[in-house]
Amino acid sequence: MHKTIFVLFFILILTNVIAAKEQRHLVQKGETLYSISRSYSVSLDEILIANKIDDPSKIKAGYNLIIPSKFTEKKEYKVEKGDTLYGVAKKHNVNINDLLKENNFNKDTLLKVGQVIKIPGQPGIQIADKGKTSSQNNENSYSQYYWPVKGEMKELSGKLQGSKISTNYGDPVYSVSSGKVVWEGPYRGFGRVIFVESVSGYIYVYGGNDKTNVLVGDSVEPGSELGKIGLNVYENKPTMFFAVYKDGKPIDVEKAPRL
């Protein structure tokens, strides 16, 4: 039963991710790609990649652009007792530097209870901590971070395709690819689950985390530490679930690109 629920959960999240990618903008007279990227709080490079644009000067009024990430409107937050700038940034999944810039603060600014501050619209981009050495290799690895953890691996059968890896509690989970964190959160029975999307559109799923080191919007690379392994409540064993999707369809995890 729980496997079926897990599959439905993946489908739901993947649908939301794909829907977020499909947001579009009809270019108006006088607009530039740079001004459009600013209005949606995404980078110019992300728009160029999403639309396969080689020459930005050729984009004219009437062009239907794909906006690669879901626009999140700016909002305000009233400071509570015990709040710090870093704590507020983490609470709202935004980069601390973006928060400072949005409010004309500096790193030494002290917050006051009741003070209203602005929260940037789109999560900023941070680079997660670099992973450790090749001593973390799985014996089946073809490269340093071919698998996210070291341990005994079994293929998942049925609708949910991927790998289940038995490992050690608290072991670090490493990204096998570069990309951006597009979803992070808990799911009953599977700890905290992380979705990383590569530039080429592959979505790497890392389930079974007890703690995570990344936020939505963070950029990672092969070897970036994503989190720490927890216990699978159904088996009471430290277990990781690793899957890869492309266009909403499961991909053989051994054949998925390691970029």
Side-chain angles (χ1 to χ4, degrees), residues 4-53:
T4 300
I5 296 174
F6 197 40
V7 172
L8 293 175
F9 163 73
F10 275 163
I11 292 173
L12 176 62
I13 297 301
L14 285 166
T15 300
N16 288 339
V17 170
I18 292 170
K21 290 170 57 184
E22 289 302 318
Q23 185 177 8
R24 291 181 174 270
H25 175 87
L26 189 65
V27 178
Q28 304 296 313
K29 186 176 180 180
E31 286 185 322
T32 65
L33 290 178
Y34 178 72
S35 67
I36 294 169
S37 72
R38 296 267 300 186
S39 66
Y40 284 96
S41 296
V42 298
S43 72
L44 178 57
D45 285 342
E46 287 175 309
I47 289 181
L48 294 177
I49 292 171
N51 293 274
K52 299 179 181 180
I53 297 173

Side-chain angles (χ1 to χ4, degrees), residues 138-180:
N138 184 284
E139 63 183 8
N140 294 324
S141 297
Y142 301 132
S143 61
Q144 185 171 349
Y145 294 106
Y146 195 86
W147 298 108
V149 295
K150 181 179 179 179
E152 181 182 356
M153 182 178 64
K154 294 182 179 180
E155 184 177 349
L156 292 170
S157 59
K159 293 183 179 180
L160 179 59
Q161 298 181 27
S163 296
K164 181 173 79 169
I165 306 173
S166 298
T167 184
N168 301 307
Y169 180 80
D171 272 3
V173 175
Y174 296 109
S175 177
V176 302
S177 73
S178 58
K180 181 181 288 188

Side-chain angles (χ1 to χ4, degrees), residues 12 20 25 43 62-63 71 90 92-94 106 109 136 161 172 175 177 188 224 229 236 239 243:
L12 176 62
H25 175 87
S43 72
Y63 192 95
F71 176 62
K90 188 172 183 180
H92 293 278
N93 286 352
V94 298
N106 60 56
T109 299
Q136 301 295 331
Q161 298 181 27
S175 177
S177 73
R188 185 178 60 187
S224 293
I229 287 293
N236 199 32
T239 307

